[in-house]
PDB file of all heavy atoms in Angstrom:
ATOM      1  N   SER A 238      -3.258 -24.118  -5.245  1.00 88.00           N
ATOM      2  CA  SER A 238      -2.393 -22.955  -5.548  1.00 88.00           C
ATOM      3  C   SER A 238      -0.924 -23.333  -5.378  1.00 88.00           C
ATOM      4  O   SER A 238      -0.605 -24.429  -4.927  1.00 88.00           O
ATOM      5  CB  SER A 238      -2.751 -21.814  -4.571  1.00 88.00           C
ATOM      6  OG  SER A 238      -2.469 -22.201  -3.239  1.00 88.00           O
ATOM      7  N   ILE A 239      -0.080 -22.412  -5.817  1.00 92.00           N
ATOM      8  CA  ILE A 239       1.358 -22.591  -5.589  1.00 92.00           C
ATOM      9  C   ILE A 239       1.866 -21.470  -4.708  1.00 92.00           C
ATOM     10  O   ILE A 239       1.288 -20.371  -4.672  1.00 92.00           O
ATOM     11  CB  ILE A 239       2.154 -22.589  -6.926  1.00 92.00           C
ATOM     12  CG1 ILE A 239       1.928 -21.274  -7.692  1.00 92.00           C
ATOM     13  CG2 ILE A 239       1.815 -23.755  -7.782  1.00 92.00           C
ATOM     14  CD1 ILE A 239       2.839 -21.104  -8.880  1.00 92.00           C
ATOM     15  N   LEU A 240       2.911 -21.751  -3.967  1.00 93.00           N
ATOM     16  CA  LEU A 240       3.546 -20.737  -3.118  1.00 93.00           C
ATOM     17  C   LEU A 240       4.570 -20.025  -4.004  1.00 93.00           C
ATOM     18  O   LEU A 240       5.577 -20.617  -4.412  1.00 93.00           O
ATOM     19  CB  LEU A 240       4.189 -21.381  -1.901  1.00 93.00           C
ATOM     20  CG  LEU A 240       4.701 -20.481  -0.815  1.00 93.00           C
ATOM     21  CD1 LEU A 240       3.583 -19.595  -0.257  1.00 93.00           C
ATOM     22  CD2 LEU A 240       5.311 -21.285   0.327  1.00 93.00           C
ATOM     23  N   LEU A 241       4.331 -18.767  -4.291  1.00 94.00           N
ATOM     24  CA  LEU A 241       5.131 -18.034  -5.266  1.00 94.00           C
ATOM     25  C   LEU A 241       6.593 -17.878  -4.840  1.00 94.00           C
ATOM     26  O   LEU A 241       6.870 -17.559  -3.649  1.00 94.00           O
ATOM     27  CB  LEU A 241       4.537 -16.661  -5.529  1.00 94.00           C
ATOM     28  CG  LEU A 241       3.206 -16.642  -6.272  1.00 94.00           C
ATOM     29  CD1 LEU A 241       2.578 -15.258  -6.203  1.00 94.00           C
ATOM     30  CD2 LEU A 241       3.379 -17.101  -7.702  1.00 94.00           C
ATOM     31  N   ARG A 242       7.470 -18.083  -5.791  1.00 94.00           N
ATOM     32  CA  ARG A 242       8.900 -17.866  -5.543  1.00 94.00           C
ATOM     33  C   ARG A 242       9.338 -16.677  -6.409  1.00 94.00           C
ATOM     34  O   ARG A 242       9.618 -16.798  -7.563  1.00 94.00           O
ATOM     35  CB  ARG A 242       9.705 -19.096  -5.904  1.00 94.00           C
ATOM     36  CG  ARG A 242      11.190 -19.007  -5.495  1.00 94.00           C
ATOM     37  CD  ARG A 242      11.924 -20.291  -5.794  1.00 94.00           C
ATOM     38  NE  ARG A 242      13.243 -20.323  -5.232  1.00 94.00           N
ATOM     39  CZ  ARG A 242      14.073 -21.356  -5.295  1.00 94.00           C
ATOM     40  NH1 ARG A 242      13.675 -22.465  -5.915  1.00 94.00           N
ATOM     41  NH2 ARG A 242      15.285 -21.306  -4.771  1.00 94.00           N
ATOM     42  N   PHE A 243       9.360 -15.494  -5.773  1.00 93.00           N
ATOM     43  CA  PHE A 243       9.750 -14.274  -6.474  1.00 93.00           C
ATOM     44  C   PHE A 243      11.249 -14.198  -6.615  1.00 93.00           C
ATOM     45  O   PHE A 243      12.009 -14.611  -5.732  1.00 93.00           O
ATOM     46  CB  PHE A 243       9.249 -13.044  -5.713  1.00 93.00           C
ATOM     47  CG  PHE A 243       7.772 -12.880  -5.705  1.00 93.00           C
ATOM     48  CD1 PHE A 243       6.999 -13.324  -4.655  1.00 93.00           C
ATOM     49  CD2 PHE A 243       7.125 -12.260  -6.781  1.00 93.00           C
ATOM     50  CE1 PHE A 243       5.636 -13.161  -4.640  1.00 93.00           C
ATOM     51  CE2 PHE A 243       5.749 -12.103  -6.769  1.00 93.00           C
ATOM     52  CZ  PHE A 243       4.997 -12.551  -5.702  1.00 93.00           C
ATOM     53  N   ASP A 244      11.689 -13.647  -7.735  1.00 91.00           N
ATOM     54  CA  ASP A 244      13.098 -13.308  -7.918  1.00 91.00           C
ATOM     55  C   ASP A 244      13.250 -11.817  -7.721  1.00 91.00           C
ATOM     56  O   ASP A 244      12.706 -11.011  -8.478  1.00 91.00           O
ATOM     57  CB  ASP A 244      13.563 -13.699  -9.351  1.00 91.00           C
ATOM     58  CG  ASP A 244      15.078 -13.668  -9.488  1.00 91.00           C
ATOM     59  OD1 ASP A 244      15.714 -12.853  -8.789  1.00 91.00           O
ATOM     60  OD2 ASP A 244      15.604 -14.436 -10.295  1.00 91.00           O
ATOM     61  N   THR A 245      13.928 -11.419  -6.650  1.00 89.00           N
ATOM     62  CA  THR A 245      14.005 -10.031  -6.274  1.00 89.00           C
ATOM     63  C   THR A 245      15.109  -9.238  -6.973  1.00 89.00           C
ATOM     64  O   THR A 245      15.299  -8.065  -6.696  1.00 89.00           O
ATOM     65  CB  THR A 245      14.201  -9.894  -4.749  1.00 89.00           C
ATOM     66  OG1 THR A 245      15.413 -10.578  -4.370  1.00 89.00           O
ATOM     67  CG2 THR A 245      13.040 -10.540  -4.009  1.00 89.00           C
ATOM     68  N   ARG A 246      15.812  -9.876  -7.873  1.00 88.00           N
ATOM     69  CA  ARG A 246      16.923  -9.193  -8.577  1.00 88.00           C
ATOM     70  C   ARG A 246      16.383  -8.230  -9.629  1.00 88.00           C
ATOM     71  O   ARG A 246      15.331  -8.489 -10.258  1.00 88.00           O
ATOM     72  CB  ARG A 246      17.863 -10.206  -9.197  1.00 88.00           C
ATOM     73  CG  ARG A 246      18.706 -10.916  -8.170  1.00 88.00           C
ATOM     74  CD  ARG A 246      19.481 -12.075  -8.718  1.00 88.00           C
ATOM     75  NE  ARG A 246      18.638 -13.220  -8.948  1.00 88.00           N
ATOM     76  CZ  ARG A 246      19.087 -14.477  -9.123  1.00 88.00           C
ATOM     77  NH1 ARG A 246      20.394 -14.691  -9.034  1.00 88.00           N
ATOM     78  NH2 ARG A 246      18.246 -15.479  -9.341  1.00 88.00           N
ATOM     79  N   PRO A 247      17.116  -7.161  -9.900  1.00 85.00           N
ATOM     80  CA  PRO A 247      16.672  -6.203 -10.931  1.00 85.00           C
ATOM     81  C   PRO A 247      16.566  -6.875 -12.316  1.00 85.00           C
ATOM     82  O   PRO A 247      17.472  -7.611 -12.721  1.00 85.00           O
ATOM     83  CB  PRO A 247      17.789  -5.116 -10.957  1.00 85.00           C
ATOM     84  CG  PRO A 247      18.443  -5.266  -9.603  1.00 85.00           C
ATOM     85  CD  PRO A 247      18.369  -6.695  -9.249  1.00 85.00           C
ATOM     86  N   GLY A 248      15.461  -6.623 -12.999  1.00 85.00           N
ATOM     87  CA  GLY A 248      15.279  -7.138 -14.340  1.00 85.00           C
ATOM     88  C   GLY A 248      15.037  -8.651 -14.386  1.00 85.00           C
ATOM     89  O   GLY A 248      15.168  -9.258 -15.444  1.00 85.00           O
ATOM     90  N   ALA A 249      14.630  -9.236 -13.248  1.00 90.00           N
ATOM     91  CA  ALA A 249      14.355 -10.681 -13.256  1.00 90.00           C
ATOM     92  C   ALA A 249      13.262 -11.033 -14.254  1.00 90.00           C
ATOM     93  O   ALA A 249      13.290 -12.080 -14.900  1.00 90.00           O
ATOM     94  CB  ALA A 249      13.982 -11.135 -11.851  1.00 90.00           C
ATOM     95  N   ILE A 250      12.278 -10.145 -14.372  1.00 92.00           N
ATOM     96  CA  ILE A 250      11.238 -10.290 -15.402  1.00 92.00           C
ATOM     97  C   ILE A 250      11.294  -9.059 -16.257  1.00 92.00           C
ATOM     98  O   ILE A 250      10.896  -7.973 -15.836  1.00 92.00           O
ATOM     99  CB  ILE A 250       9.844 -10.460 -14.755  1.00 92.00           C
ATOM    100  CG1 ILE A 250       9.785 -11.707 -13.896  1.00 92.00           C
ATOM    101  CG2 ILE A 250       8.754 -10.517 -15.830  1.00 92.00           C
ATOM    102  CD1 ILE A 250       8.508 -11.912 -13.154  1.00 92.00           C
ATOM    103  N   PRO A 251      11.793  -9.128 -17.478  1.00 93.00           N
ATOM    104  CA  PRO A 251      11.967  -7.931 -18.332  1.00 93.00           C
ATOM    105  C   PRO A 251      10.616  -7.257 -18.587  1.00 93.00           C
ATOM    106  O   PRO A 251       9.607  -7.925 -18.807  1.00 93.00           O
ATOM    107  CB  PRO A 251      12.562  -8.497 -19.626  1.00 93.00           C
ATOM    108  CG  PRO A 251      13.176  -9.805 -19.233  1.00 93.00           C
ATOM    109  CD  PRO A 251      12.309 -10.345 -18.145  1.00 93.00           C
ATOM    110  N   ALA A 252      10.652  -5.935 -18.553  1.00 92.00           N
ATOM    111  CA  ALA A 252       9.421  -5.157 -18.779  1.00 92.00           C
ATOM    112  C   ALA A 252       9.682  -4.183 -19.928  1.00 92.00           C
ATOM    113  O   ALA A 252      10.662  -3.417 -19.890  1.00 92.00           O
ATOM    114  CB  ALA A 252       9.004  -4.401 -17.541  1.00 92.00           C
TER     115      ALA A 252
END
Side-chain angles (χ1 to χ4, degrees):
S238 62
I239 59 170
L240 190 58
L241 290 168
R242 187 176 190 178
F243 291 96
D244 193 330
T245 59
R246 287 171 285 199
I250 299 176

